[in-house]
Amino acid sequence: MLPNFKTTLLELVISCRSLKDEEHPTINPVCVLQTIPFGRSEFEEYAQTETFSNETDPVFREKIEITYFFERLQKIQVSIYNVSKRRKHSRSDKCLGSTEFTLAELVQASGLGKEKEIGPDSFVRLEARHPSDMRTVIRLKFGAKDLDDHDVFSKSDPFIRIYRKLNNYKSYRKLYESEVIMNNLNPIWNEFEISSRDFTHGSSDNEIKIECWDFDSADSADFIGECSTTVQQLLDGPENNDYKLINAKYKKKRNYADSGTVSIINLQTYC
C-alpha cells in the first residue's frame, strides 16, 4: 500500500531532435518510458508513444499521464528505438539511446522542459504539464496558391511543416506536418487541432515558421519555400494572414519574387 503522499497528475510531452542511426538510412522512432514501481528496485515498462515514420525530429502526439508524488524520488528512464517496418516496437529493435530524468526536475523546470543527450548530437526532451494546461484547443486550416512546380511531368505534391521557435534557442520544435496533396499548385490541407499550450508556449510573441515541401518519396522531398510570423499574428485569424514563401536558393535570381503564398483559411479556438 502506498504511503499517504501528496500527489498531482501530470502529462509528459516528449520530443527528440537530430536522431541518428548509422546502420539504417530511415529512422522510425518510438519512445519507451520505464519507471520504478513503489516497493521495487528495477525499472519496468510504463508506457510507449506512437511510432513515427521516417522522422529524425519527432514530437510525439501521445501524452503520457503519470502521478507525481511530492515527497518521493521518481526516476524515469527514456529510451528511443528505431522500429522496423512492422510499425510495432519489439525487443529486437535498435535502441538509439537512453537517459534518465526525475519527475521533480521536470516539475521544477516550470513548463520549459528538460533536454538531455542520448547519443552524439542527438537529444530527447521531456516536459511535464498539468492536464488543465492542455484544455484550450486551436483548430487551424491552411492553403497555398501559385506554388513553384518542382516536378517535370506533373505538378508539385505539396505538404507543409509548422514549427515554433524554442525560447532562448536557435532551434525549432516541429508542431505539425500536413498530409501530401498530389499534383496541385493551389492546395488546401485538412484542418488540424493543437493545444493552445503547445502552440503558444505561454507567449504570443513566439516565432512560428511554416515550410512548404514537394513530396518525392518516403525518403525525400524538395524544398519549395518558407515564411515566418508570430503566434499573435496567426491567432488574429484569416484576414491579412497571407505569407509569401521564400526559397533562399532563388533569391539572387533576377526575376525571382517568391515561391507562392500560404494562407490561413480557418481558425477556431475552443475548450
Side-chain angles (χ1 to χ4, degrees):
M1 183 175 179
L2 287 173
N4 189 25
F5 290 141
K6 183 181 178 182
T7 66
T8 188
L9 184 66
L10 299 175
E11 284 183 337
L12 300 181
V13 182
I14 308 164
S15 59
C16 304
R17 63 183 178 93
S18 304
L19 295 178
K20 300 175 181 65
D21 188 341
E22 296 180 355
E23 298 177 0
H24 299 91
T26 301
I27 295 179
N28 305 313
V30 63
C31 178
V32 177
L33 265 68
Q34 293 185 306
T35 61
I36 301 176
F38 186 78
R40 305 282 182 85
S41 59
E42 296 182 354
F43 282 104
E44 296 181 10
E45 183 171 329
Y46 178 78
Q48 61 178 268
T49 65
E50 76 277 19
T51 301
F52 270 79
S53 177
N54 192 30
E55 180 60 71
T56 59
D57 302 286
V59 178
F60 296 102
R61 298 184 183 91
E62 292 186 13
K63 311 299 188 294
I64 296 174
E65 291 190 347
I66 190 168
T67 300
Y68 173 53
F69 294 83
F70 284 82
E71 301 174 28
R72 178 182 159 205
L73 177 64
Q74 290 172 270
K75 293 182 179 180
I76 303 173
Q77 186 178 80
V78 181
S79 302
I80 307 299
Y81 291 87
N82 191 5
V83 178
S84 69
K85 294 181 180 179
R86 295 183 306 277
R87 304 288 297 160
K88 181 74 175 177
H89 168 59
S90 71
R91 293 183 179 180
S92 63
D93 292 325
K94 181 179 179 181
C95 182
L96 301 180
S98 298
T99 189
E100 290 185 13
F101 295 84
T102 66
L103 280 182
E105 68 177 319
L106 297 178
V107 170
Q108 291 166 7
S110 302
L112 297 177
K114 282 282 187 178
E115 185 176 78
K116 294 187 179 183
E117 193 170 22
I118 58 171
D121 297 320
S122 295
F123 303 87
V124 64
R125 180 183 182 84
L126 260 65
E127 185 176 337
R129 301 175 181 174
H130 293 281
S132 59
D133 293 337
M134 308 293 287
R135 288 177 184 167
T136 302
V137 175
I138 300 171
R139 179 182 293 165
L140 291 156
K141 187 172 187 177
F142 284 87
K145 293 182 179 179
D146 303 320
L147 296 178
D148 284 351
D149 192 353
H150 283 245
D151 293 342
V152 177
F153 299 109
S154 63
K155 298 176 182 177
S156 292
D157 308 315
F159 65 96
I160 55 172
R161 293 171 177 161
I162 300 175
Y163 300 83
R164 172 175 46 76
K165 192 172 186 178
L166 297 176
N167 293 341
N168 302 319
Y169 290 93
K170 294 182 179 179
S171 57
Y172 290 79
R173 175 182 176 182
K174 186 164 75 172
L175 302 177
Y176 177 73
E177 181 171 317
S178 75
E179 77 280 11
V180 176
I181 297 183
M182 304 299 289
N183 196 32
N184 196 325
L185 301 181
N186 300 285
I188 296 177
W189 292 282
N190 292 335
E191 279 188 337
F192 66 95
E193 295 181 350
I194 185 171
S195 74
S196 176
R197 179 66 181 269
D198 276 337
F199 192 64
T200 67
H201 205 254
S203 175
S204 60
D205 294 327
N206 281 332
E207 180 185 337
I208 298 292
K209 180 174 68 172
I210 304 171
E211 295 179 346
C212 189
W213 294 80
D214 173 29
F215 176 83
D216 283 337
S217 68
D219 297 324
S220 66
D222 295 324
F223 182 64
I224 294 177
E226 66 180 11
C227 60
S228 293
T229 182
T230 65
V231 168
Q232 185 58 59
Q233 179 66 31
L234 288 178
L235 292 179
D236 286 343
E239 187 175 354
N240 300 319
N241 254 324
D242 301 325
Y243 301 95
K244 299 293 185 182
L245 294 167
I246 302 299
N247 190 327
K249 185 170 66 174
Y250 302 139
K251 285 183 70 174
K252 293 184 179 180
K253 290 189 175 182
R254 178 176 297 179
N255 297 320
Y256 179 74
D258 57 71
S259 295
T261 303
V262 66
S263 308
I264 291 183
I265 295 176
N266 188 38
L267 183 145
Q268 294 176 300
T269 302
Y270 62 95
C271 296

